[in-house]
Amino acid sequence: MKVWIFFLLCLAGNAMAAPTEEAVVEELLIAEEPIAEEPEVGANPVQVEIEEFDEAIDIFEEEQAFADNPCLDHHCKKGKVCEVDEDNTPMCVCQDPSSCPASEGEFEHVCGTNNVTYESSCHFSATKCALEGTKKGHKLHLDYTGPCKYIDACLDPELSEFPLRMRDWLKNVLVTLYERDVDNNLLTEKQKLRVKKIFENEKRLTAGEHSLDLLAHDFEKNYNMYIFPVHWQFGQLDQHPVDGYLTHSELSPLRAPLIPMEHCTTRFFEECDADNDKYIALEEWSNCFGIKEQDVDKDLIV
Ligand SMILES: [Ca+2]
Ligand SMILES: [Ca+2]
């Protein structure tokens, strides 16, 4: 899933929005190697040997403790870390935001729905965890990536343009995956067959800058090519749990990086939730991308 999100973000940056920003987020885990110390000149060699021996025992005990650590296999959700209680039972507790790694730049900052900038998503999740059970915590979500900024209001005509570009983009993402999927298995066999049909269709509008009129015309003319990409994206997001509904956090990997580039993102997804129950059902999702009711098919997302 992580690979997917990263891939989608790259494509979102390149295809969907102004190609001005290229943020490459890379996590580097640098293991620091201990520097061996030379014994001091004139130091008692026996003493040095005992110290080295003690050190070796310490390292052995630390390694042993690490291997026995019941937290090793205990998974905690974002914002929590594992600790053991007095009976050595692992439990998840809220992470102290100050224990989060310092961000390496503004690109790691995130904006909360409270319009507060957090240093990183780790800092955000840790803060949200501390508010668990409160009304404030319930309402707080990660809104978008990058520091909080002024986002223009989305006007009605702009809102109707959003699904035109988004549908085209989804179709192009899938075709690109298909083309690169020679041995990577990015798509399942069933998915490959479906995308193959789109890929081989001579009437397919190739990726590139297209006018909104052309996109609208293509959707009308080649409607069938858009059914699967819309379903596929829903399936990619509906993961925690897989239940046919998208929560705010399930939608976040798609929504958060888009908002700073596409100012209609928030309004579009808000209006997608037609019955206003805070979940976007597959039917609601398909409908806001212009897919007809009779073409909504749960089997397409598996
Ligand atoms: Ca779900
Ligand atoms: Ca809903």
Side-chain angles (χ1 to χ4, degrees):
M1 186 64 193
K2 269 191 182 164
V3 176
W4 270 109
I5 294 167
F6 180 68
F7 190 75
L8 282 171
L9 298 190
C10 293
L11 286 158
N14 290 335
M16 181 75 181
T20 48
E21 281 179 49
E22 259 186 52
V24 177
V25 184
E26 228 176 291
E27 275 179 31
L28 291 174
L29 291 171
I30 301 165
E32 281 184 22
E33 279 192 28
I35 301 161
E37 273 181 41
E38 287 279 312
E40 277 174 54
V41 179
N44 179 342
V46 179
Q47 188 65 32
V48 171
E49 271 173 28
I50 289 171
E51 275 175 13
E52 279 174 359
F53 184 67
D54 283 348
E55 214 172 278
I57 288 178
D58 284 349
I59 292 169
F60 175 76
E61 283 175 351
E62 267 173 37
E63 280 175 355
Q64 199 61 32
F66 185 69
D68 294 341
N69 189 347
C71 275
L72 268 186
D73 295 323
H74 196 75
H75 180 75
C76 295
K77 66 173 191 175
K78 257 188 147 188
K80 294 196 172 192
V81 284
C82 178
E83 273 181 15
V84 287
D85 63 8
E86 54 271 26
D87 304 321
N88 211 27
T89 309
M91 53 179 187
C92 294
V93 295
C94 285
Q95 183 174 7
D96 181 350
S98 64
S99 70
C100 288
S103 69
E104 287 178 17
E106 271 201 353
F107 66 90
E108 278 192 58
H109 293 188
V110 296
C111 183
T113 43
N114 54 352
N115 209 27
V116 169
T117 300
Y118 296 86
E119 216 185 306
S120 68
S121 62
C122 172
H123 289 83
F124 169 82
S125 304
T127 309
K128 183 172 161 68
C129 182
L131 293 168
E132 219 169 54
T134 66
K135 208 174 164 189
K136 213 172 152 188
H138 186 68
K139 273 169 57 184
L140 179 61
H141 297 285
L142 192 156
D143 201 8
Y144 52 90
T145 47
C148 297
K149 61 177 190 177
Y150 176 78
I151 290 175
D152 288 320
C154 169
L155 306 172
D156 289 343
E158 295 170 328
L159 184 66
S160 59
E161 293 169 7
F162 185 90
L164 288 173
R165 287 198 301 272
M166 183 89 186
R167 273 187 309 240
D168 184 54
W169 173 71
L170 287 175
K171 180 166 59 70
N172 294 334
V173 167
L174 267 179
V175 169
T176 310
L177 285 181
Y178 176 79
E179 285 175 307
R180 293 181 188 174
D181 202 22
V182 184
D183 26 48
N184 287 342
N185 289 324
L186 298 166
L187 298 167
T188 65
E189 288 308 313
K190 243 183 178 177
Q191 290 172 330
K192 270 186 221 167
L193 281 177
R194 292 197 168 110
V195 187
K196 189 172 184 253
K197 274 192 202 160
I198 304 173
F199 176 73
E200 288 174 351
N201 194 321
E202 282 169 12
K203 290 184 211 147
R204 174 170 63 89
L205 193 62
T206 46
E209 287 272 321
H210 300 301
S211 72
L212 294 166
D213 283 344
L214 181 58
L215 290 176
H217 176 72
D218 190 63
F219 183 62
E220 217 171 281
K221 214 177 70 185
N222 296 314
Y223 165 78
N224 284 333
M225 276 192 232
Y226 292 89
I227 300 174
F228 179 62
V230 168
H231 281 77
W232 170 79
Q233 178 66 88
F234 187 91
Q236 289 298 305
L237 298 169
D238 181 22
Q239 299 283 338
H240 309 285
V242 184
D243 57 0
Y245 293 93
L246 299 183
T247 60
H248 196 285
S249 22
E250 282 179 309
L251 188 58
S252 198
L254 176 71
R255 187 183 173 277
L258 267 186
I259 294 177
M261 305 185 276
E262 288 271 343
H263 68 288
C264 281
T265 310
T266 301
R267 193 176 154 196
F268 178 77
F269 288 119
E270 260 170 23
E271 295 191 9
C272 233
D273 177 19
D275 64 2
N276 224 350
D277 67 349
K278 306 277 179 215
Y279 298 96
I280 299 179
L282 175 64
E283 291 75 15
E284 291 174 321
W285 172 271
S286 307
N287 182 45
C288 62
F289 282 107
I291 303 300
K292 295 170 197 156
E293 214 183 312
Q294 65 265 30
D295 297 317
V296 179
D297 183 358
K298 281 195 169 67
D299 292 338
L300 284 181
I301 62 174
V302 196

